[in-house]
Amino acid sequence: MALVAGIDSSTQSCKVVVRDADTGELVREGRASHPDGTEVAPAAWWDALQEAIAQAGGLDDVEAVAVGGQQHGMVCLDESGEVVRDALLWNDTRSAGAATELIRELGGPSAWTDAVGSVPVASLTVTKLRWLRDNEPENAARTAAVCLPHDWLTWRLAGSPGLEALATDRGDASGTGYWSPATGDYRRDLLERALGHDAVLPRVLGPRESAGTLAGSSALLGAGSGDNAAAALGLGAAQGDVVVSLGTSGVACAIADAPSADASGLVAGFADATGRFLPLVCTLNAARVLDGAARLLGVDHAELSRLALSVPAGAGGLVLVPYLEGERTPDLPNATGSLHGLTLETMTPAFLARAAVEGLLCGLADGIDALTAQGAVIERVLLIGGGAKSEAVRRTAPAVFGRPVVVPPAGEYVADGAARQAVWVLSGADEPPVWAREGTESYDAEATPAVRERYAEARGKILDKVG
Ligand SMILES: Nc1ncnc2c1ncn2[C@@H]1O[C@H](COP(=O)(O)OP(=O)(O)O)[C@@H](O)[C@H]1O
Ligand SMILES: O=C(CO)[C@@H](O)[C@H](O)COP(=O)(O)O
């Protein structure tokens, strides 16, 4: 039995799955935590990966490995391959001003969607490079290569074989802001505009191309991908599917045959991990809204869910606009969260719990609408990520989204997507392997448009709107 490994180096943790290449059966797994914060030393991801690999029984017997990772993080390397400074993550908003500047310099949002399919926001790597140029010129000058978290881990797994060996894939390259999904080329002029000079960028590999071999082994390395593209591959998502992921980020994305270009900036025009495209809406506030609400109420997730389900839809008019870490979609990096509609009746743990669940889901419902406005045809909504473990989320999502929701069995879909890619690299087949998945649950509920209407009203009244 041939084994493959898939890795998910996400915002909060690193997960490793070892699967049977033929059947997809889960053979072993491991996980380790990442440090908190929006600025992280890449060495911490490497340490967590080593711990997760050890927990998963090592990689000695696997024939291929691939890495899925949090998108956009800025990893700068000097000429000798040393990390120049801690990575700025996708949820670090300090480069919001740089985003505004870059949009203006190029002639507005449409110039960016024409160039790279997305309008820059603080999450995109290109804005982080501009921030570096302006705030840490010495670090910018030392930067000889720029890569992303999954690129860097793949390169380390290969034994750090020189900057020219850096590799990435279409999915993650499309989140940089200097690679065009439509043409498949880097826009080095945009990299230079941001960083102030040219730099080595990872080669962009095709979906089943190999990035080399694992150091000291003959196991093949896949190109890997950004976590959302890897999750779509892990789920076997096809046209008609919208994947909603409730991790640190809230994401709604769809598989598309053609690149998208939304000059409103709501939908990012990313690529997927199969040679197609992945229009995507991302919020900064998802599972951690539930974490924060549970902490505030002094309960665990199971109790938060029970409380939320103990009061009716609409939470008696109480609305949480959950911009707890600023927001990316809508682009309000300095916004804060707010509670609207408090009364003596609703000032209770149960109403607050319900408002937290509904608030985070309304943000994602807006995302699904934005995808539809860009032409996505939605036949199925697949709900994944840590937040999807909440029963209240599963039962409330169909009401807020106004459509049934499918919850695949609990699993690590990003790591699974990486594992599927690893098999694909091994087989060289036209399509990735098909693995059976049992235990999918369907949730349906009567739509509650009034919840969204009240949320929309509250969303227009938040403080600290200035970008
Ligand atoms: N039962 C649960 N209910 C709600 N949230 C949960 C539950 N279990 C885990 N979470 C939350 O899910 C998040 C982790 O999800 P994950 O998809 O792994 O995130 P990421 O990919 O961003 O690292 C954490 O914030 C965690 O507290
Ligand atoms: O920035 C994005 C997508 O554009 C995020 O989805 C990151 O890729 C982080 O993902 P999680 O760790 O929250 O899964």
Side-chain angles (χ1 to χ4, degrees):
M1 146 170 107
L3 297 178
V4 295
I7 293 163
D8 173 14
S9 178
S10 71
T11 312
Q12 296 191 43
S13 62
C14 182
K15 304 122 187 174
V16 174
V17 299
V18 175
R19 288 193 176 268
D20 180 310
D22 295 324
T23 63
E25 184 199 341
L26 180 65
V27 179
R28 308 189 300 262
E29 61 186 324
R31 68 185 301 138
S33 294
H34 285 160
D36 265 346
T38 61
E39 184 172 356
V40 169
W45 303 328
W46 180 250
D47 292 346
L49 174 59
Q50 298 313 304
E51 195 183 328
I53 288 174
Q55 250 185 49
L59 299 180
D60 288 351
D61 54 354
V62 305
E63 294 187 18
V65 185
V67 185
Q70 54 174 312
Q71 293 187 249
H72 317 302
M74 179 191 75
V75 181
C76 293
L77 304 178
D78 70 12
E79 269 185 4
S80 62
E82 291 302 314
V83 170
V84 169
R85 76 178 312 290
D86 287 356
L88 297 186
L89 305 194
W90 64 278
N91 53 355
D92 189 290
T93 53
R94 79 186 70 180
S95 58
T100 309
E101 237 174 68
L102 285 166
I103 294 170
R104 185 180 40 75
E105 285 175 19
L106 209 64
S110 306
W112 280 92
T113 51
D114 288 349
V116 293
S118 301
V119 181
V121 284
S123 292
L124 297 205
T125 327
V126 70
T127 70
K128 299 177 190 301
L129 291 173
R130 169 56 70 83
W131 179 91
L132 189 74
R133 187 201 75 172
D134 290 348
N135 293 276
E136 297 180 357
E138 282 171 17
N139 283 337
R142 260 186 73 209
T143 297
V146 184
C147 61
L148 300 175
H150 112 257
D151 312 341
W152 184 77
L153 285 170
T154 306
W155 182 73
R156 290 285 318 257
L157 284 169
S160 315
L163 297 183
E164 301 303 327
L166 282 164
T168 191
D169 84 306
R170 297 170 65 254
D172 230 3
S174 65
T176 58
Y178 43 82
W179 185 83
S180 162
T183 66
D185 294 318
Y186 277 119
R187 286 287 306 255
R188 284 189 174 273
D189 58 318
L190 300 180
L191 170 78
E192 283 182 42
R193 176 183 286 280
L195 178 62
H197 61 87
D198 199 7
V200 174
L201 294 174
R203 278 177 309 130
V204 183
L205 302 176
R208 57 183 179 206
E209 257 185 275
S210 169
T213 54
L214 191 62
S217 149
S218 59
L220 290 176
L221 284 167
S225 197
D227 54 3
N228 295 298
L233 177 57
L235 288 161
Q239 270 208 333
D241 290 337
V242 164
V243 180
V244 173
S245 167
L246 304 177
T248 313
S249 61
V251 166
C253 60
I255 301 288
D257 278 337
S260 60
D262 178 10
S264 79
L266 295 176
V267 178
F270 295 159
D272 84 340
T274 69
R276 292 175 290 173
F277 300 90
L278 194 74
L280 179 148
V281 177
C282 179
T283 71
L284 290 183
N285 299 285
R288 279 178 169 162
V289 176
L290 302 177
D291 295 349
R295 191 175 59 238
L296 176 71
L297 300 178
V299 299
D300 63 11
H301 278 301
E303 179 60 7
L304 185 77
S305 171
R306 194 199 62 74
L307 284 168
L309 291 172
S310 71
V311 293
L318 186 63
V319 180
L320 175 68
V321 181
Y323 298 163
L324 308 180
E325 304 210 81
E327 192 43 273
R328 164 169 163 186
T329 317
D331 184 18
L332 297 166
N334 300 319
T336 49
S338 48
L339 261 181
H340 302 251
L342 269 177
T343 62
L344 261 188
E345 186 206 358
T346 60
M347 205 168 182
T348 70
F351 283 104
L352 187 77
R354 177 114 211 159
V357 170
E358 289 179 347
L360 97 83
L361 288 172
C362 281
L364 270 305
D366 290 346
I368 295 174
D369 285 353
L371 288 175
T372 314
Q374 285 301 301
V377 177
I378 305 175
E379 286 161 18
R380 216 167 48 139
V381 175
L382 294 151
L383 193 62
I384 61 166
K389 292 182 188 157
S390 156
E391 186 65 16
V393 166
R394 290 162 177 238
R395 287 178 45 192
T396 310
V400 172
F401 296 167
R403 56 182 93 232
V405 164
V406 172
V407 184
E412 297 302 341
Y413 288 99
V414 177
D416 287 350
R420 276 188 92 199
Q421 188 194 60
V423 177
W424 204 5
V425 172
L426 269 182
S427 73
D430 286 345
E431 295 294 328
V434 177
W435 288 337
R437 183 175 53 235
E438 279 163 19
T440 296
E441 292 181 60
S442 292
Y443 288 78
D444 203 355
E446 200 170 318
T448 52
V451 171
R452 289 199 59 200
E453 282 157 25
R454 190 155 167 88
Y455 177 83
E457 216 181 310
R459 192 187 51 200
K461 294 186 177 142
I462 53 138
L463 293 176
D464 310 314
K465 280 192 197 164
V466 185

